[in-house]
Amino acid sequence: MRVIVVGGGVVGTMHAWQAVQRGHEVVQIEREAEARGASLRNFGQIWVSGRAGGEEIDTALRARELWERIGAEVPGLGFRANGSLTPVRTDREHAVAEAALARPDAAARGYELVTAEEARQINPALRGAFEAALWCERDAAVEPRTAQLHLREALQATGRYTFLPGREVREVTGPAAVRDDHGDVHRGDAVVLATGAWLSGLVRELVPDLPVRRVRLQMMQTAPLGERLTTSVADADSFRYYPAYKSPALDALNAGQDQAPTAAAHKMQLLMVQRRDGGLTIGDTHEYEHPFAFDTLEDPYEHLTGVVEGFLGRPLPRIQRRWAGVYAQCTDTTRVVHRQQVADGVWLVTGPGGRGMTCSPAIAETTANELGW
């Protein structure tokens, strides 16, 4: 079988991986010289802890297995089973963490409520003030800026994979066939459009009423911390945004403990992961209303800096990079992804939201199974 994958981000690349692993030939087409969207502008988290129950957690847990397996084959991914800690500081936050432990799938997620002293044994860099922490053993991380590069190197080594950058696919020309802006037609047995947040052009023509929206976020990265941050770190505001934490205790938190004004205005939470070079990737904000601003705002960065310094008990290293990113999210946020046949032999796979990095291996596996690859 010959599979054409349109989109060079992590979802597209994982579809290419699945096809090649199953013995097929793959041509992957990317409109930029390299993928430059949400697949690079994220934390690199394999984030199991906050996922909703049912299909979403099943997908995330399967993806976690696949990431570990692929990481063993492709060491350049930088896969590490680092887990995550969410420190809590108030009784209401503590109650939300306790409620999470009562979930029927808490053990599968690796949930454990630990004391502040136990949290510091897990992650000695957390020297700041907090009362306890929710530990999630199943969370993990990879290096988002380089993951696709290393995956492609492994794919190319098979001799059954071709990467064509700098080409925008403009038209479906027939069954499982597309034409790019160089005038070349690419024919196969299946075409997967994994175009991420690029929802205009061909995607809009094929699905004018696509039930997917775009979400913008701001993030930053520091110089090396000078010590190891052994886990990913979130703050209790993340309880408000992740469906796994829905409970009467969360209702009480939302009713009785306001977010800081800046965090509320920008729909913020702290997520933080250390990169291989020792720097910290820190975010994030959520913006849903179009058109998005073209600039980044400083107040959210100042808020995040204060939260991180409170947990670390020390000043942050110098900020080296700030950026904004946009990802695609199903308007029905209970759906893991929007997967739809849009033409003869052509499937669109988009809208995983902030779950793209986490769930992409399992999303691609499901596509491959459903299409009979």
Side-chain angles (χ1 to χ4, degrees), residues 223-235:
L225 181 63
E227 62 181 316
R228 189 176 170 214
L229 190 76
T230 57
T231 71
S232 299
V233 177
D235 73 348

Side-chain angles (χ1 to χ4, degrees), residues 96-305:
V96 177
E98 287 183 323
L101 297 180
R103 293 186 60 97
D105 56 9
R109 297 169 187 266
Y111 280 163
E112 183 180 351
L113 188 58
V114 298
T115 66
E117 181 179 349
E118 290 169 334
R120 293 187 184 101
Q121 291 174 356
I122 297 168
N123 191 338
L126 298 177
R127 301 186 185 91
F130 56 95
E131 299 301 317
L134 182 64
W135 163 240
C136 181
E137 180 269 338
R138 294 300 292 160
D139 288 334
V142 295
E143 293 299 301
R145 288 179 178 262
T146 58
Q148 275 78 256
L149 297 176
H150 291 289
L151 284 169
R152 286 209 312 269
E153 287 175 359
L155 288 166
Q156 287 167 338
T158 68
R160 288 181 280 109
Y161 171 84
T162 302
F163 181 63
L164 298 178
R167 294 169 179 255
E168 182 176 320
V169 170
R170 295 284 182 84
E171 181 185 6
V172 175
T173 61
V178 293
R179 180 182 62 80
D180 67 28
D181 59 357
H182 291 214
D184 294 331
V185 175
H186 307 275
R187 296 181 176 87
D189 299 287
V191 174
V192 175
L193 304 177
T195 55
W198 177 56
L199 304 176
S200 58
L202 177 62
V203 174
R204 181 174 294 151
E205 291 176 7
L206 291 170
V207 193
D209 299 316
L210 183 66
V212 174
R213 64 179 177 178
R214 299 169 79 233
V215 182
R216 183 180 188 262
L217 72 165
Q218 288 186 204
M219 299 173 63
M220 62 182 176
Q221 188 167 331
T222 73
L225 181 63
E227 62 181 316
R228 189 176 170 214
L229 190 76
T230 57
T231 71
S232 299
V233 177
D235 73 348
D237 277 342
S238 67
F239 292 155
R240 306 174 193 263
Y241 295 107
Y242 282 104
Y245 305 117
K246 288 183 178 179
S247 66
L250 179 61
D251 295 338
L253 174 70
N254 287 327
Q257 180 177 315
D258 293 337
Q259 284 188 278
T262 298
H266 296 280
K267 301 177 177 62
M268 295 182 67
Q269 62 185 351
L270 168 70
L271 297 176
M272 176 168 63
V273 183
Q274 189 172 46
R275 303 271 65 90
R276 271 181 159 178
D277 68 359
L280 304 176
T281 300
I282 300 170
D284 60 1
T285 63
H286 299 88
E287 183 180 354
Y288 303 99
E289 298 300 323
H290 291 215
F292 295 137
F294 64 85
D295 46 5
T296 58
L297 299 176
E298 195 62 23
D299 287 354
Y301 293 118
E302 292 176 354
H303 169 77
L304 290 169
T305 296

